Amino acid sequence: QVQLAESGGGLVQAGGSLRLSCAASVGTNTFSRYTMAWFRQSPGKEREFVTAIRWSGGITYYADSVKGRFTISRDNAKYTVYLQMNSLKFEDTAVYYCAARWRVEVTTTSYDYWGQGTQVTVSL
C-alpha cells in the first residue's frame, strides 16, 4: 500500500499562488513507477480531475480549467509530487487530493491510492 500525505494548502487571494506537495511513503525505487495525479473537490460537487504526470517519460495532462495556470511536477528522489498553482481563482477553492496508480497512463480515473486532502481557499 502507498501512503500519500498532502501539504501546502492554505488561504490565498485571487491571483496569488500556492504550491502543494504530496509526499509518498513507498518502497525503495518504486515511486518513479507510479503515475501521480491531483484531484479536487469543493462542497456540493463531485471530485474532479486536475492533472496527472506519468510514471515515466514526463507526460502530463491537465484539466481545461487549470491549463496554463497549474503545473504538476515530481521529484522522484524525494518521493514527492508537486502542484504549482498560479493565477488562482475563487473557483479553485477546494480540497485537493493526491492520488497514485502503478504504471498507468495519465488517466483521469481509476487511481488506487489517495491522500487525505489539503484545503485550498482562494479569497476574492
Side-chain angles (χ1 to χ4, degrees), residues 5-12 17-21 38-43 83 85 88-98 115-123:
E6 303 94 335
S7 63
L11 175 65
V12 64
S17 299
L18 281 176
R19 189 180 76 162
L20 306 183
S21 298
W38 288 95
F39 289 74
R40 66 186 182 186
Q41 186 171 26
S42 57
L83 181 63
M85 304 183 293
L88 282 162
K89 304 174 181 179
F90 175 75
E91 52 264 41
D92 294 320
T93 296
V95 176
Y96 283 73
Y97 297 90
C98 179
Q116 76 282 2
T118 185
Q119 177 71 49
V120 172
T121 302
V122 183
S123 63

Side-chain angles (χ1 to χ4, degrees), residues 30-106:
T30 64
F31 178 74
S32 64
R33 299 196 286 272
Y34 284 90
T35 289
M36 304 297 297
W38 288 95
F39 289 74
R40 66 186 182 186
Q41 186 171 26
S42 57
K45 297 182 179 180
E46 296 182 348
R47 185 173 298 182
E48 67 172 333
F49 171 81
V50 177
T51 182
I53 183 166
R54 193 177 183 269
W55 65 275
S56 68
I59 298 172
T60 59
Y61 182 74
Y62 297 89
D64 289 341
S65 60
V66 304
K67 285 182 179 178
R69 300 188 298 117
F70 290 11
T71 303
I72 188 171
S73 62
R74 64 193 299 162
D75 187 336
N76 289 336
K78 296 182 178 179
Y79 295 175
T80 302
V81 63
Y82 303 97
L83 181 63
Q84 179 66 48
M85 304 183 293
N86 298 325
S87 301
L88 282 162
K89 304 174 181 179
F90 175 75
E91 52 264 41
D92 294 320
T93 296
V95 176
Y96 283 73
Y97 297 90
C98 179
R101 185 175 180 183
W102 180 265
R103 289 183 170 181
V104 72
E105 301 301 323
V106 284

